[in-house]
Each structure stands twice: as C-alpha cells, then as structure tokens.
Amino acid sequence: MLNDRTGIDWEGFGKHRHDPEAVKDMAKDVTAFFKEPFERKGKGVKFVPSDPNLAGVPSVINVFANSAEEDFGYERLFGFVDMRKSTAKTFEILDASNGITFEQIKEGEPIKVRGISTVKTSVGYLKYGGALGFLDDWFRFNQYYLMDDVVRDVRLKYLGTMAQVHYALLTALGSGVNQAFATDDVTTMNNAFAKILLDIKGKGYAAGENPVFKIACGTGLKARIAKALAAAFYMPNTNNNQVVYRVDEVIASSELADDKYYAVLPGAKMKRAVWDDLNAESQRDALRRAEDMTWEGKFNAAISDAAQVRRCSLS
C-alpha cells in the first residue's frame, strides 16, 4: 500500500524491516521525501492593481512556494554556493572592494597583474540533526499515519529552520541600514533604493543605475507594499508619485515582523550554501523494539556587505 501523503511504502518496509537492504531503501525513500519540496518550489502569483486609474506598471511577483507549508522566499535574496561535492568546511565571500580595476595603458606597455586581496568572509556550515524511534507496534498495528506524521513534521521543521536562519540575517543587521520614513511608502522606497546604489558605488558591483531590487516583508505588509508598488497614474495629480526603481519580487514571510520591511539588492555579497541536504539513516534498536531514524543537514548563509540592504520604517 503506497501512502498518498508521503509516497513511502511503510507497509512494504514493515514486512522486511529486519533486512539491512530494506532498511537502506526505506532511508532513501525518506530522504527523497525530504528533497521533494525543492523540486516544486518558487512559483508565484502576480500583484494585479484593482484600481482602473492605475497605470500598467510591470506586475510584481509575490513569491511563495506552491505549498502553503514551506517558505523558500529567502532563496531569492541570496546567491547560491553549492558545497555538496566540496571537501571544504567553509565557503568564502570576497570583500566588496575586491575586484578587477581597469586603467589606461600606453602603447606597448604591459598590463599590470594585480593580486586578489586577502580580505574576505569565511562562512562555515551549520549542522542540524534529530532522531526518533519508529516503534515495532506502529508496524504491527498498521499505524502508518504516525510514521507519515513524523517524517512530514521533520521536513517542515527543518525547512522552517532554514528560513529562520536566513531571515535572521536581515533582522540582525545594525542600525546603520535603517531607512527613515519620508512622506509615504513610495518616497521611502525610492530613498532606500537610491541609498543602496550610493553605498555600493565604487565597490565593483556594476549594478548600473537601474538594477532589479526585491522587497522582503512580513506577511501582514503584503497589501501595503502592493499598494505602494502599484501607485502609478496616467494623469498628473497631487498623488502622482511612484516607485521609479525596478522591483520584481516581494518576499513575504512570517519570519519577518510587520513593523518594517527590507529593500534588498539581491545576490552579490549575500550568499547561502548547502553542504548536505537533509538526509535519513536508520538502524535497529532491539532494546527499545524500534527502528531508530536519524536526520541531518548542513547549510549556512551570510551577508558580508550590509550596503545591499535598507530596513525601511513605516511611519
């Protein structure tokens, strides 16, 4: 009997759970279940202005996973470093000032070879793990729903932990990234985006004058942010104010408070890495009459240049 909720054949495993190969197969099935959300994440729905007087400005994406249970929005903010096949325990982010410099050369003059600065941020992995025994009685009395509940809860809590760690990097930034409220949300956003461009100038970002920004906020601010981004009018009037920078995505998460929001230039010196996806192993515990299953994953992230972020006030 293949369970509809997880796709794991608990009944089949129960019949052969003393077979080492069956134990390995079951652990593989559980690991595959853990990875499944990553294969269907990142779909979104567009903010569509409801006021017929609003101009046809480019629609903004409200990022969400196509299951309400999981939060992958943070991935839109951080560049990804794949450490799964690496033997290194850390990944490094070069200092913002680290970059190639072009200079004028005379005819026949050799180009100077410059070394890379040793100023960088090293980021080690965070390891998260857990364990639980699957009792023999669960198999004996066909209580497969309990095993489903366990692995589903493990997956949700691990993905929730990943989200917490990444969003916490935004909330932990110092007061230097605070953007004061100015007249209204539209003006505040424009000021925040302009300040980011000013602060990264000369650091080698090559962002240009019109890069794509993102906004991260608490779920309770989605309507307010959507209204500000949609405020562009055909006819001049006293409210003829609009966001003049490109914002392609709003990342709303319950991990962020509703008393502020973040204007972000994504990627660059904001990096995340995965060393090991959440995986499962199992072994027999004869004394407890159970199959002990352990779970472990390794990841981390860092913001090495706070200039990419502005924390915007609401009033």
Side-chain angles (χ1 to χ4, degrees):
M1 181 180 68
L2 198 64
N3 192 289
D4 291 335
R5 293 182 62 194
T6 65
I8 299 172
D9 186 4
W10 297 115
E11 183 177 14
F13 169 68
K15 293 177 181 178
H16 306 284
R17 65 182 183 277
H18 300 304
D19 180 351
E21 291 303 316
V23 171
K24 292 180 181 179
D25 289 341
M26 190 267 287
K28 289 180 181 179
D29 289 345
V30 173
T31 297
F33 174 73
F34 290 155
K35 293 180 179 180
E36 185 269 338
F38 293 92
E39 299 173 358
R40 57 176 171 79
K41 64 186 177 184
K43 296 184 179 180
V45 62
K46 290 185 177 180
F47 281 138
V48 180
S50 57
D51 187 337
N53 294 319
L54 294 177
V57 295
S59 297
V60 176
I61 300 299
N62 171 25
V63 174
F64 70 107
N66 60 354
S67 164
E69 299 170 333
E70 300 136 0
D71 182 351
F72 289 110
Y74 62 86
E75 293 189 354
R76 308 288 195 169
L77 304 174
F78 293 82
F80 181 58
V81 180
D82 191 348
M83 300 293 288
R84 294 180 182 92
K85 295 182 180 180
S86 174
T87 58
K89 293 183 177 181
T90 63
F91 74 91
E92 297 175 339
I93 306 175
L94 294 178
D95 182 72
S97 62
N98 231 323
I100 189 169
T101 300
F102 285 90
E103 52 191 29
Q104 186 176 10
I105 57 175
K106 298 178 180 179
E107 190 70 31
E109 181 183 15
I111 299 176
K112 297 178 182 179
V113 178
R114 302 186 182 276
I116 296 294
S117 168
T118 58
V119 180
K120 53 193 173 185
T121 301
S122 293
V123 185
Y125 63 77
L126 300 176
K127 179 165 63 174
Y128 292 87
L132 188 70
F134 285 42
L135 301 177
D136 286 354
D137 283 349
W138 292 1
F139 294 100
R140 168 65 181 80
F141 298 107
N142 299 335
Q143 293 176 300
Y144 306 124
Y145 65 91
L146 292 176
M147 290 172 273
D148 261 349
D149 286 346
V150 168
V151 296
R152 182 174 175 274
D153 191 47
V154 168
R155 185 174 79 176
L156 287 175
K157 287 182 177 179
Y158 184 76
L159 296 179
T161 299
M162 293 186 76
Q164 291 169 12
V165 169
H166 287 80
Y167 291 120
L169 293 173
L170 293 177
T171 60
L173 292 173
S175 59
V177 303
N178 290 350
Q179 183 69 44
F181 182 80
T183 308
D184 53 33
D185 291 330
V186 172
T187 303
T188 304
M189 288 181 188
N190 283 332
N191 290 347
F193 297 138
K195 186 66 166 68
I196 290 175
L197 293 178
L198 179 64
D199 288 347
I200 66 172
K201 183 179 179 181
K203 291 185 176 182
Y205 280 77
E209 60 86 24
N210 194 25
V212 175
F213 292 97
K214 300 185 189 296
I215 290 178
C217 65
T219 54
L221 289 180
K222 288 197 294 184
R224 179 167 176 167
I225 298 299
K227 182 178 180 180
L229 292 173
F233 293 81
Y234 285 114
M235 301 299 294
N237 54 56
T238 57
N239 295 319
N240 191 22
N241 193 15
Q242 62 181 301
V243 175
V244 295
Y245 296 88
R246 289 193 295 167
V247 180
D248 72 337
E249 290 180 325
V250 173
I251 293 92
S253 172
S254 59
E255 297 296 334
L256 296 174
D258 291 333
D259 59 350
K260 60 184 71 70
Y261 61 93
Y262 296 84
V264 182
L265 180 66
K269 305 306 176 182
M270 296 175 61
K271 300 281 190 182
R272 67 181 184 89
V274 172
W275 281 261
D276 290 321
D277 294 310
L278 186 62
N279 58 86
E281 291 187 28
S282 180
Q283 66 180 12
R284 180 68 182 164
D285 187 341
L287 295 178
R288 295 180 59 247
R289 307 301 297 169
E291 292 293 332
D292 287 345
M293 184 164 290
T294 62
W295 302 277
E296 181 185 285
K298 298 184 183 75
F299 68 91
N300 205 354
I303 300 175
S304 71
D305 187 8
Q308 292 180 233
V309 181
R310 298 299 292 173
R311 183 189 294 117
C312 301
S313 298
L314 300 177
S315 61

